[in-house]
Amino acid sequence: MIYIKFQDLSSEKQEELLKVSREHVTYLYGDSIKKYVDETGADYDSLIDEEMIKNLYTYNYVFNI
């Protein structure tokens, strides 16, 4: 779970959430994405970014008001 203060939805907090999600995706799927990139010539960063955004929807958020 990710705990967020409802008042703290600033761009810095959003960037922090994206960074956490990117690290999580890289840890979970990094090797398979690298393999796919080697086979197809796709852009690694854009694939990681797409998965990073999808991954944000899998988190459970708790908003403290």
Side-chain angles (χ1 to χ4, degrees):
M1 280 192 202
I2 297 177
Y3 293 90
I4 300 174
K5 291 182 181 176
F6 189 74
Q7 297 90 345
D8 187 20
L9 296 177
S10 63
S11 60
E12 291 85 15
K13 188 63 172 181
Q14 292 175 24
E15 289 297 321
E16 181 184 336
L17 289 173
L18 288 172
K19 180 181 174 189
V20 168
S21 182
R22 183 180 184 90
E23 290 171 357
H24 192 213
V25 165
T26 302
Y27 174 75
L28 291 177
Y29 308 115
D31 293 336
S32 62
I33 290 175
K34 285 180 186 176
K35 183 180 175 185
Y36 177 77
V37 166
D38 290 341
E39 293 173 357
T40 63
D43 183 34
Y44 177 78
D45 287 327
S46 66
L47 290 174
I48 289 288
D49 288 344
E50 288 175 18
E51 292 300 320
M52 168 184 67
I53 292 170
K54 289 180 193 176
N55 189 49
L56 284 174
Y57 291 104
T58 65
Y59 293 152
N60 291 323
Y61 296 96
V62 175
F63 289 96
N64 295 323
I65 299 176

